[in-house]
Amino acid sequence: MLASEPETLRPVSYTPASGVVAMGDQQAIDYDVVVIGAGFGGMYMLYRLRQLGFTARAVEAADDVGGTWYWNRYPGARCDVESVEYSYSFDAQLQQDWVWTERYAAQPEILRYAQHVADRFDLRRDISFMSRVDAATFDDTAATWTVDVSGQHAGTLRSRFLVSAVGCLSSTNWPDIPGRDTFAGDRYHTGQWPHHEVDFTGKVVGVIGTGSSGIQSIPIIAQQAEHLYVFQRTPNYTVPAHNRPMPAEELAELKARYDEIRAIDRTLSGGFGAQYPRGTVGAMDVSDEERAAEYQRRWDIGGFTYLGGFTDALLSKESNFTAAEFVRGKIREIVTDPEVAALLSPDHVIACKRLCFDTGYYETYNRPNVTLVDIHDGGIEEITPTGLRAGGADYALDALVFATGFDAMTGTLLRMDIRGPELSLREAWSAGPRTYLGLGVHGIPNFFVITGPGSPSVLTNMIMSIEQHVEWIGDCLAAMRAGGQQRIEATEDAQDQWVGYVNAVADATLFPTCNSWYLGANVPGKTRVFMPLPGLPPYREQCDAVAANGYEGFVLA
Ligand code: N01
């Protein structure tokens, strides 16, 4: 028993006979809830379900907790939300006890934090590791899911509810480049990095992709490699992270203000950045000098703050252009070869593809052992046993790194065969994902998605969005138990209206204006739908109102 854990929140056994108030006919089910995934979403869902007295089991493909932070071990992997904010808020003592050592935590530290949470709340006993959910079928007569699991804990689980905590960026995108699997050297994907240290010393390395993962790993790979070729299809905007060690006094001061920081975060569109007040005017409402000074001030702070100076960075093309042009100016200042600087300069709307943060990214192209290869025209023609061919030239490589991202938001969900009474999730989403609140899907009863498409998710501090969803789902299940209900399903009408609302909000912004993974544009053949919903605070209010109105838009029985 931990000092921080109030008596009433003690974990309870998942055996219904232990006095747990469970959901109806326990003969028919093994657990009230099966949770898919044990990253930050799955871990908190398990904890919350225990608090509420539900029985639950999580199924996790990895051999430990951590989700995205378990898999993304590439060199330089680091969070782009400050560590004091990218952390659970549900337990006051946890946030006081944990010591963050850097402004932005690196992957190993975040993974240690996830492991600490698992230990602290004894979560692992309810997780089946090295196991995957392959399929789940809902029996409408018994209001029961049958969940097929493969791997170390292969078998069938029966539960009343199914909660997806698979994360938004968990299916790696391996582009189908001709000859991809013929490469005889070492091949890596940033999102499935090996657990052992990879040393590129003395090697000729190719990196494909210049999104967040490429931009974080390229400077480090360049320091090791004999030569690095970066194959760039689209340049990306990146601003300095200005990461630094976290002094003990600063951390203590932040911890003393934790309640205030979390309260401010709840009012912010992305759920983070409490320390850096937002601007209150549009970028074109000030003089050129004032605008440039504000961009410089925020460039010096670093991170997402860069776009917080004006209210309309993602609403007005004209304002957005000024923010983009400032970054292009920085690229010209930093990169000594004007041709390379031009190739590195994006021309799309800044932040319509997720803004990146770096440590020495543009500077890396001044190194003599780094070559930027522009492939925007013809792409990579072929991967060969000894390297690759692009633009008619052959590049001999010892190692090839795919920093090519993910089949985001829907990839992992659709890999499983999830079946409602009359249609499968694959059928329901054949023309792109459709949800109600990003939480429920019409046609798939008793199924919840944590940070699903149609919710703010990837446009926010993920841990804050996870907490909001987990708490909403927990409250919903508790309300159903109190009301003697066993089945919940989003109505088609509510879902249609929600999808229309998400599209309208997204269309009022500049987000949908470029080929981003937010739209599914990075995966050939994927239906283009803007998947996340901009704006966490109004969304939270809508979810609360739905609950307060008896789960309006859902049918409960
Ligand atoms: O993936 P991406 P990522 N041939 O999709 C290129 C989060 N994250 O792993 O832009 C050649 O952004 C592709 O080119 P293009 C964060 O939310 C966070 O980097 O499609 N190139 C692009 O350059 C982030 O946004 C953190 O033309 C190909 C790159 O590969 C998200 O994860 C760190 C190609 C993929 O970029 C995904 O980031 C890391 C092909 N066939 C990740 N296919 C932080 O917290 C794709 N590309 C900081």
Side-chain angles (χ1 to χ4, degrees):
M1 180 71 184
L2 295 155
S4 62
E5 205 172 282
E7 190 74 9
T8 51
L9 305 188
R10 243 185 239 183
V12 291
S13 154
Y14 54 74
T15 309
S18 69
V20 172
V21 187
M23 304 279 302
D25 177 11
Q26 293 290 310
Q27 301 304 318
I29 59 172
D30 303 309
Y31 302 99
D32 291 320
V33 186
V34 166
V35 178
I36 315 171
F40 281 103
M43 286 200 296
Y44 184 39
M45 191 75 248
L46 261 190
Y47 174 81
R48 191 77 179 175
L49 289 167
R50 274 193 202 159
Q51 274 190 315
L52 293 166
F54 292 111
T55 64
R57 171 136 298 256
V59 179
E60 166 58 53
D63 67 6
D64 202 358
V65 296
T68 196
W69 299 104
Y70 175 94
W71 297 103
N72 284 266
R73 297 166 187 243
Y74 61 83
R78 184 179 294 288
C79 190
D80 52 9
V81 172
E82 296 196 20
S83 45
V84 287
E85 290 169 305
Y86 189 82
S87 51
Y88 287 125
S89 67
F90 71 82
D91 186 283
Q93 198 57 48
L94 168 65
Q95 68 182 11
Q96 288 300 325
D97 289 352
W98 183 260
V99 178
W100 294 107
T101 65
E102 294 182 87
R103 180 183 180 195
Y104 295 100
Q107 176 272 334
E109 188 166 50
I110 302 176
L111 186 57
R112 280 199 300 279
Y113 172 73
Q115 291 165 340
H116 168 79
V117 171
D119 291 340
R120 187 176 181 112
F121 300 111
D122 189 20
L123 296 178
R124 288 192 184 85
R125 69 179 158 89
D126 289 337
I127 305 173
S128 299
F129 289 108
M130 299 184 77
S131 305
R132 277 183 186 278
V133 170
D134 296 326
T137 308
F138 189 72
D139 173 348
D140 216 2
T141 318
T144 302
W145 281 102
T146 302
V147 183
D148 297 334
V149 178
S150 62
Q152 202 167 79
H153 298 271
T156 299
L157 298 173
R158 284 160 66 82
S159 65
R160 180 113 309 133
F161 296 95
L162 183 65
V163 174
S164 167
V166 299
C168 298
L169 297 162
S170 47
S171 277
T172 43
N173 173 35
W174 287 94
D176 199 10
I177 299 167
R180 186 190 66 191
D181 300 328
T182 64
F183 183 62
D186 299 327
R187 195 179 73 161
Y188 306 94
H189 193 294
T190 46
Q192 282 178 324
W193 202 259
H195 289 202
H196 58 83
E197 198 177 333
V198 176
D199 185 0
F200 292 108
T201 306
K203 302 229 161 119
V204 179
V205 184
V207 173
I208 305 174
T210 49
S212 302
S213 306
I215 282 173
Q216 286 188 329
S217 56
I218 283 165
I220 295 175
I221 297 173
Q223 285 164 24
Q224 297 174 357
E226 182 186 312
H227 200 91
L228 171 64
Y229 293 98
V230 177
F231 298 95
Q232 174 189 272
R233 187 164 71 180
T234 314
N236 235 317
Y237 297 93
T238 171
V239 301
H242 294 309
N243 182 48
R244 55 177 169 74
M246 172 71 78
E249 319 75 62
E250 185 180 338
L251 184 60
E253 189 270 328
L254 290 168
K255 283 181 176 178
R257 293 195 294 117
Y258 238 137
D259 287 350
E260 179 198 334
I261 291 170
R262 300 292 194 187
I264 297 171
D265 281 344
R266 273 192 282 277
T267 68
L268 300 174
S269 173
F272 65 99
Q275 299 184 70
Y276 311 105
R278 300 295 193 273
T280 52
V281 293
M284 308 317 291
D285 297 336
V286 299
S287 69
D288 292 355
E289 294 71 31
E290 284 171 290
R291 192 184 313 118
E294 181 64 0
Y295 287 141
Q296 183 63 51
R297 192 176 76 76
R298 288 178 178 267
W299 178 271
D300 293 339
I301 295 170
F304 278 112
T305 317
Y306 175 68
L307 285 178
F310 301 105
T311 50
D312 55 357
L314 273 153
L315 298 174
S316 151
K317 271 199 167 159
E318 199 184 8
S319 296
N320 186 284
F321 181 83
T322 64
E325 191 52 23
F326 185 88
V327 178
R328 286 190 285 264
K330 288 291 179 193
I331 299 171
R332 288 190 291 269
E333 261 174 55
I334 297 168
V335 179
T336 48
D337 181 333
E339 271 181 42
V340 176
L343 282 180
L344 286 169
S345 297
D347 58 9
H348 53 265
V349 156
I350 185 169
C352 69
K353 281 174 187 266
R354 188 177 168 107
L355 189 59
C356 304
F357 306 107
D358 69 278
T359 301
Y361 179 69
Y362 292 128
E363 290 83 348
T364 296
Y365 293 92
N366 294 333
R367 295 175 65 102
N369 70 330
V370 176
T371 306
L372 180 65
V373 184
D374 174 26
I375 56 164
H376 89 274
D377 242 353
I380 292 167
E381 287 145 39
E382 189 183 2
I383 294 178
T384 65
T386 55
L388 62 77
R389 188 172 317 116
D394 282 305
Y395 297 87
L397 304 170
D398 301 313
L400 184 53
V401 175
F402 286 77
T404 46
F406 303 89
D407 183 353
M409 304 202 72
T410 57
T412 309
L413 279 163
L414 293 177
R415 235 200 246 161
M416 299 177 285
D417 188 11
I418 294 175
R419 293 188 169 267
E422 273 155 36
L423 88 171
S424 67
L425 189 65
R426 288 174 188 156
E427 287 160 346
W429 288 6
S430 58
R434 297 181 73 76
T435 68
Y436 178 43
L437 301 175
L439 279 160
V441 181
H442 175 67
I444 319 282
N446 289 15
F447 176 56
F448 297 99
V449 185
I450 297 174
T451 63
S455 76
S457 59
V458 292
L459 298 178
T460 69
N461 171 357
M462 283 303 292
I463 296 195
M464 178 171 268
S465 281
I466 282 168
E467 288 190 327
Q468 186 248 338
H469 268 189
V470 165
E471 287 160 19
W472 192 95
I473 294 167
D475 291 350
C476 175
L477 296 189
M480 288 179 69
R481 180 173 58 194
Q485 292 135 337
Q486 301 200 8
R487 187 186 190 281
I488 179 167
E489 181 182 352
T491 68
E492 193 164 16
D493 225 31
Q495 180 168 282
D496 287 348
Q497 282 184 35
W498 187 254
V499 171
Y501 169 74
V502 174
N503 288 338
V505 174
D507 286 345
T509 71
L510 301 173
F511 277 119
T513 59
C514 63
N515 291 329
S516 67
W517 59 257
Y518 296 141
L519 276 165
N522 62 326
V523 175
K526 188 164 172 172
T527 312
R528 289 173 74 109
V529 175
F530 192 80
M531 293 183 281
L533 167 70
L536 185 53
Y539 171 76
R540 186 193 297 274
E541 278 174 29
Q542 283 157 317
C543 289
D544 290 348
V546 165
N549 292 330
Y551 294 93
E552 192 177 13
F554 290 95
V555 173
L556 279 67

